């Protein structure tokens, strides 16, 4: 009869410069497997960095991470934990996560290293930022390695430490999607209004408004009389409209960047502002500026009040440097040609 082959022993030990304290569980890992650093190669959302140097990634997005260390192989698995721990000790509470690699006994966030990315001291993993813990949660890496004859459940995860270069912090979007869309639409509406008022109101000087208020139809006279008090403060009106326009356009770009990537936000906001915030409203207000200006005069006054601390001093400086606005002056020859 063939003698029974002895079972392989699984008494693993960790290489460490300091022996474990009495009562501390000894971690079992493959020799030399440890992580010394991490870098974000790419991500769905551009990563940021905290004041302490920890990389910050958006919740529930994908990132490609390069891990630096030793002992990586095709069978190395990676997970994270929100529980701080000592380097090369047992990793407590590895992150639970739904994955095609889940077994009946439970699920772990355990992506394998990319096979074609393995080098002597680094490897790539595709990583999905976990949502557990909410924004501001720090996650730390844990590793383990599959071995022949040893079930994965019996191999413990090994904590890689809490240094800033071995951690990830999560953050969430500034606003929920529905709120961001509402603000974007509101910014586009105000951008169109300010752009149209800039052309519609500033193209009519006080002389034109006086002529309309005396010779126009009843509706035109009412519109002109409503606009004249505001139009008299020409530079103040101009500064208020331009400040409001810049404010909503900048806000639009920021909100677009929050829900998309940087390049998409720049291109999308530029096209939206040009088409819906500049070309369309100016084309309309060049023909109906008097009516639009009169019907939105309340909004204009509110904007002038909000921007008063900045717009009014600038308008005083412009009045001082450029002098009073005189409006159109017609000579005898011009009047003859006009008639």
């Amino acid at each position: 009869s063939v003698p029974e082959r002895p079972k392989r022993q699984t008494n693993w030990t960790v290489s460490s410069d300091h022996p474990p304290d009495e009562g501390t569980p000894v971690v079992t890992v493959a020799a030399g497997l440890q992580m010394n650093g991490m870098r974000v190669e790419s991500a769905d959302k551009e990563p940021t960095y905290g004041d302490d140097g920890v990389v910050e990634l958006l919740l529930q997005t994908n990132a490609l991470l390069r891990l630096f260390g030793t002992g990586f192989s095709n069978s190395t698995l990676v997970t994270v934990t929100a529980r701080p721990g000592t380097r090369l000790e047992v990793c407590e509470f590895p992150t639970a996560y739904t994955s095609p690699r889940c077994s009946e006994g439970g699920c772990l966030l355990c992506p394998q290293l990319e096979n074609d990315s393995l080098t002597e001291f680094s490897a790539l993993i595709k990583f999905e930022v976990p949502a557990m813990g909410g924004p501001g949660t720090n996650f730390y890496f844990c590793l383990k390695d599959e071995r022949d004859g040893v079930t994965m459940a019996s191999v413990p995860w090994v904590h890689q430490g809490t240094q800033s270069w071995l951690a990830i912090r999560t953050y969430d979007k500034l606003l929920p999607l529905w709120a961001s869309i509402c603000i974007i639409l509101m910014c586009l509406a105000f951008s169109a209004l300010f752009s149209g008022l800039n052309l519609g109101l500033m193209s009519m000087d006080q002389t034109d408004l006086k002529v309309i208020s005396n010779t126009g139809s009843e509706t035109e006279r009412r519109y002109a009389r409503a606009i004249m008090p505001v139009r008299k403060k020409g530079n103040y009106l101009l500064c208020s409209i331009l400040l409001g326009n810049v404010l909503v356009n900048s806000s639009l770009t920021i909100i677009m960047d929050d829900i998309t990537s940087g390049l998409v936000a720049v291109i999308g906001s530029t096209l939206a502002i040009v088409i819906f915030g500049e070309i369309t409203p100016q084309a309309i207000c060049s023909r109906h500026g008097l009516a639009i200006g009169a019907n939105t005069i309340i909004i204009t006054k509110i904007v002038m009040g909000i921007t008063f601390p900045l717009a009014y001093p600038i308008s005083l400086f412009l009045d001082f440097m450029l002098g009073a606005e005189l409006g159109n002056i017609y000579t005898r020859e011009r009047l003859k040609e006009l008639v």
Side-chain angles (χ1 to χ4, degrees):
S1 62
V2 179
E4 184 179 354
R5 182 178 178 180
K7 294 182 179 179
R8 180 173 178 174
Q9 300 296 319
T10 59
N11 184 24
W12 306 78
T13 57
V14 169
S15 59
S16 177
D17 296 334
H18 304 285
D21 298 333
E22 185 177 354
T24 301
V26 177
V27 184
T28 62
V29 292
L33 177 60
Q34 55 183 303
M35 177 178 166
N36 299 321
M38 179 270 300
R39 182 178 69 206
V40 180
E41 295 288 337
S42 63
D44 293 343
K45 186 70 174 179
E46 190 70 21
T48 60
Y49 294 86
D51 295 335
D52 54 358
V54 176
V55 63
E56 298 178 345
L57 296 173
L58 181 63
L59 288 170
Q60 295 181 295
T61 58
N62 296 311
L64 184 65
L65 307 181
R66 179 170 293 279
L67 308 184
F68 298 95
T70 57
F72 296 141
S73 68
N74 292 334
S75 58
T76 300
L77 299 180
V78 184
T79 189
V80 292
T81 178
R83 179 67 64 90
T86 304
R87 182 172 175 81
L88 299 182
E89 288 188 355
V90 173
C91 179
E92 297 182 348
F93 305 108
T95 302
Y97 188 76
T98 302
S99 168
R101 293 175 52 81
C102 290
S103 62
E104 295 181 0
C107 298
L108 290 174
L109 173 63
C110 49
Q112 283 186 302
L113 303 178
E114 297 291 304
N115 293 334
D116 57 351
S117 70
L118 283 171
T119 64
E120 186 177 1
F121 299 110
S122 72
L124 293 175
I125 63 167
K126 293 179 180 179
F127 180 73
E128 182 173 345
V129 184
M132 65 172 294
T137 302
N138 284 357
F139 288 99
Y140 311 100
F141 286 89
C142 302
L143 305 179
K144 71 175 176 179
D145 204 72
E146 293 180 341
R147 293 294 169 180
D148 294 337
V150 180
T151 61
M152 287 306 299
S154 64
V155 179
W157 291 97
V158 183
H159 207 294
Q160 299 301 303
T162 58
Q163 292 86 351
S164 60
W165 56 88
L166 295 172
I168 287 176
R169 182 178 298 130
T170 60
Y171 73 93
D172 205 355
K173 292 181 178 180
L174 182 64
L175 295 169
L177 181 60
W178 66 267
S180 297
I181 294 176
C182 291
I183 293 177
I184 287 174
L185 295 177
M186 187 181 301
C187 287
L188 282 175
F190 275 102
S191 177
L193 176 62
F194 292 141
S195 179
L197 291 178
N198 186 33
L199 178 65
L201 293 182
M202 300 308 298
S203 63
M204 296 180 293
D205 58 22
Q206 298 182 52
T207 303
D208 294 331
L209 292 174
K210 286 181 180 179
V211 171
I212 294 174
S213 64
N214 293 327
T215 61
S217 64
E218 185 61 32
T219 302
E220 291 176 338
R221 292 181 183 183
R222 187 174 69 254
Y223 289 163
R225 287 194 294 268
I227 294 174
M228 284 179 64
V230 173
R231 187 60 185 85
K232 287 180 180 179
K233 305 171 184 178
N235 286 328
Y236 179 25
L237 174 62
L238 176 64
C239 293
S240 297
I241 291 175
L242 293 181
L243 283 174
N245 200 17
V246 171
L247 175 63
V248 296
N249 288 344
S250 301
S251 301
L252 173 64
T253 304
I254 293 173
I255 300 300
M256 286 281 289
D257 181 66
D258 187 53
I259 63 176
T260 61
S261 63
L263 182 60
V264 174
V266 172
I267 296 176
S269 60
T270 299
L271 291 176
I273 290 171
V274 169
I275 296 174
F276 301 107
E278 295 292 339
I279 296 176
T280 303
Q282 291 197 23
I284 295 173
C285 288
S286 63
R287 295 165 174 80
H288 309 285
L290 185 66
I292 294 175
N295 289 314
T296 59
I297 195 66
I298 300 299
I299 298 177
T300 303
K301 291 180 179 179
I302 293 174
V303 172
M304 292 175 70
I306 294 174
T307 59
F308 177 85
L310 186 58
Y312 187 69
I314 296 176
S315 68
L316 291 179
F317 176 76
L318 292 176
D319 291 338
F320 175 77
M321 295 298 296
L322 303 177
E325 184 180 4
L326 299 178
N328 292 329
I329 299 176
Y330 296 98
T331 62
R332 185 184 299 274
E333 288 75 13
R334 289 181 180 178
L335 286 174
K336 289 181 178 178
E337 183 65 24
L338 186 63
V339 173

